Amino acid sequence: MMQLLRNPWLFGLACLLCGLPVMVASYPPMADMPQHAAQITALKAMLFSHGWPYEPLFSLQPFTPYWLGYGLVMALSVPLGILLAVKVVVVAAQAFFVWAAARYCVRAGMPPAWRWAFLMLPFGFAFQWGFLNFLVAAPLVFLFLGWLQRWRESPGGLRPALQMVAVLHLLFFAHLLITAFVCMVAVLLLAHPWQGLLRWLRRCLPIFSILPITLAWMGVGMASAPAARAPIGWEIGLHRLVEFLPGLVSVPDPTVGVLVGSLLLALPWVAGFRVKKHWTAWVPFGVYLFFMMFVPHFLGGNYYTYQRFGFLGLPLYWASFEEPASRLDAKGQRWVAVGLAALGLLMLGWQTFRAEVFNREVAGYQAVMTRAEPGRRILMLAADPYSRVSAAPVMLHFASWYQAEHGGLSEFNFARFWGMPLKYKDSRGPGIYAGFEWSPGSFDWEANAGSSFDYLLVRSSDDAREWVRGKTNGRMIPIAGNGGWQLFGKAAHE
């Protein structure tokens, strides 16, 4: 059994199993993913085909640090279609994350059989909220940290400095927050060996090279978008301690998350491992703790800034221990290894079961949308945006799948946010703006430009026909309803 669990090829196949819950699901159960898919489809049309009827409403913003995930999905959508392309990229990112985290930890001294526990990690906060570009960039943290160790030991000179500059600028266009995280780790690690402040700053110059492009991007945002200048939302409090353990292990149920998180935090100590004595071994996990406890919730127009880092923690924590000479006996090692493998596979099975439940919840969406003509404009009114399988509002933006798959235009739209590659040209006048998606009951025919929509898609357990009739003065009539999904379209006289 131990030989099987140590086998790298078998573990590689297990990494691919992380994609099972995504591939089984009709649509990925990820809150923001429909919006990303809609952005990518529109970008592809504007860049290549110019056949999208709503193209005149938008402008391109190529200077944005979110191109890696979008670029991969856009390229794969040509042969695979947008839905399958999204799934393939998410699955690849999940498998790559588990493999990269395991590789980093094993090289740091973790027993190879322990890496099976990492199979549960890709389904945490960032996954549930559908942070596509962050998920794609997250595995690069572990690749960068492994490369950084070798870079620190290099003799120095122009060539290593230019390598660091190039790597960080590539990371910038993968995800800015990931770049910020690894830069903080790198700056702290370069303080060893300490040779004075000036020597330390000189060694950090290749790291600081990322500042000009970062400040330029932030300057563009500050000048053009009020949201970028909004006050910082810190939200520091005891709730972060409550969230910490479930986020560390990506377990969907908070109570189970606390139990599993406590177990995996205690495991190195119970197994007789020693804390690595040199402080540099704890720098990556220390930076992770700083992010989880003190980085703002809302920063520069970006929500859930610190929460998304949760699933990085366990590998960084285990990499901070070393195996002593007096270790567990063979039987104890076997029990720990089998237990961790069983735990990882059990959580993977749980996520797959949740995907099947989600399929039943969105079957109604698939049924009613067969009645919608392609290429039209649709407004999502999610009175009930939640699913039984996720703490995130995974139905909040679901109408954006219509835009992604059928060439229409959905609202609310992420093109209202600054920093996105695709942006509305005109931010004034009647329409649907940020915040409306959370209060669909506030819909007003005049204030929200109701006449510009061909369809309203309502998700509610209540019958919405009377409510829609009153809100639209009879201008929208029922077309189809199934399982809480209700589609309304313009009356004939409209």
Side-chain angles (χ1 to χ4, degrees), residues 43 47 61-72 74 133 173-174 421:
L43 280 169
L47 289 171
Q61 293 192 125
F63 184 33
T64 180
Y66 304 117
W67 276 113
L68 179 59
Y70 275 23
L72 290 173
M74 191 183 301
N133 294 293
F173 287 103

Side-chain angles (χ1 to χ4, degrees), residues 14-359:
C15 290
L16 293 176
L17 286 179
C18 290
L20 194 59
V22 176
M23 299 307 291
V24 163
S26 304
Y27 294 92
M30 306 165 78
D32 288 354
M33 196 58 71
Q35 291 276 9
H36 293 305
Q39 274 265 326
I40 292 165
T41 302
L43 280 169
K44 187 172 69 170
M46 291 184 68
L47 289 171
F48 303 111
S49 68
H50 303 287
W52 189 41
Y54 302 99
E55 183 173 338
L57 299 175
F58 297 89
S59 61
L60 293 174
Q61 293 192 125
F63 184 33
T64 180
Y66 304 117
W67 276 113
L68 179 59
Y70 275 23
L72 290 173
V73 174
M74 191 183 301
L76 287 176
S77 69
V78 176
L80 301 179
I82 185 63
L83 177 58
L84 185 54
V86 166
K87 288 186 174 186
V88 168
V89 169
V90 171
V91 168
Q94 291 178 302
F96 190 26
F97 177 87
V98 175
W99 177 85
R103 176 177 175 266
Y104 172 75
C105 288
V106 169
R107 291 187 173 186
M110 183 191 77
W114 286 27
R115 59 192 170 189
W116 288 75
F118 295 164
L119 294 177
M120 72 177 77
L121 296 183
F123 301 97
F125 191 94
F127 173 84
Q128 292 183 48
W129 275 89
F131 297 151
L132 171 64
N133 294 293
F134 189 86
L135 291 170
V136 172
L140 303 179
V141 169
F142 300 105
L143 295 187
F144 179 89
L145 293 178
W147 175 77
L148 179 63
Q149 179 63 34
R150 298 190 298 275
W151 188 86
R152 289 171 58 215
E153 296 169 355
S154 66
L158 181 61
R159 184 175 179 181
L162 291 176
Q163 287 176 342
M164 177 61 77
V165 170
V167 166
L168 290 180
H169 281 74
L170 288 173
L171 275 177
F172 174 86
F173 287 103
H175 204 284
L176 179 59
L177 291 176
I178 290 292
T179 310
F181 182 89
V182 299
C183 283
M184 187 176 292
V185 173
V187 166
L188 291 174
L189 288 177
L190 289 177
H192 177 75
W194 182 254
Q195 296 173 320
L197 179 61
L198 291 178
R199 175 67 175 168
W200 176 42
L201 293 176
R202 193 156 49 242
R203 295 186 72 194
C204 291
L205 284 177
I207 313 296
F208 297 152
S209 71
I210 200 65
L211 289 176
I213 191 172
T214 303
L215 294 174
W217 181 73
M218 292 176 64
V220 169
M222 294 287 184
S224 62
R229 303 189 296 270
I232 295 173
W234 291 97
E235 295 194 15
I236 294 175
L238 293 177
H239 65 280
R240 296 205 183 198
L241 295 176
V242 176
E243 299 165 352
F244 180 75
L245 289 174
L248 182 78
V249 292
S250 300
V251 173
D253 180 84
T255 303
V256 178
V258 169
L259 293 174
V260 173
S262 300
L263 172 67
L264 297 185
L265 278 183
L267 182 59
W269 304 90
V270 174
F273 280 59
R274 289 193 303 243
V275 173
K276 289 179 178 177
K277 294 181 179 179
H278 203 281
W279 63 270
T280 55
W282 282 86
V283 164
F285 185 67
V287 172
Y288 167 81
L289 284 178
F290 173 79
F291 266 66
M292 296 303 293
M293 296 299 152
F294 301 111
V295 165
H297 159 75
F298 177 80
L299 180 64
N302 184 74
Y303 289 91
Y304 304 113
T305 305
Y306 76 88
Q307 293 95 327
R308 65 187 69 197
F309 283 88
F311 68 139
L312 294 172
L314 185 63
L316 299 177
Y317 175 73
W318 278 0
S320 305
F321 291 84
E322 59 186 358
E323 209 168 0
S326 55
R327 48 191 290 176
L328 289 173
D329 59 24
K331 186 176 180 180
Q333 293 177 49
R334 254 194 326 271
W335 276 109
V336 170
V338 171
L340 290 174
L343 179 63
L345 292 170
L346 179 64
M347 292 299 170
L348 197 54
W350 189 5
Q351 296 291 351
T352 305
F353 172 76
R354 290 158 67 86
E356 287 287 1
V357 174
F358 184 71
N359 281 349

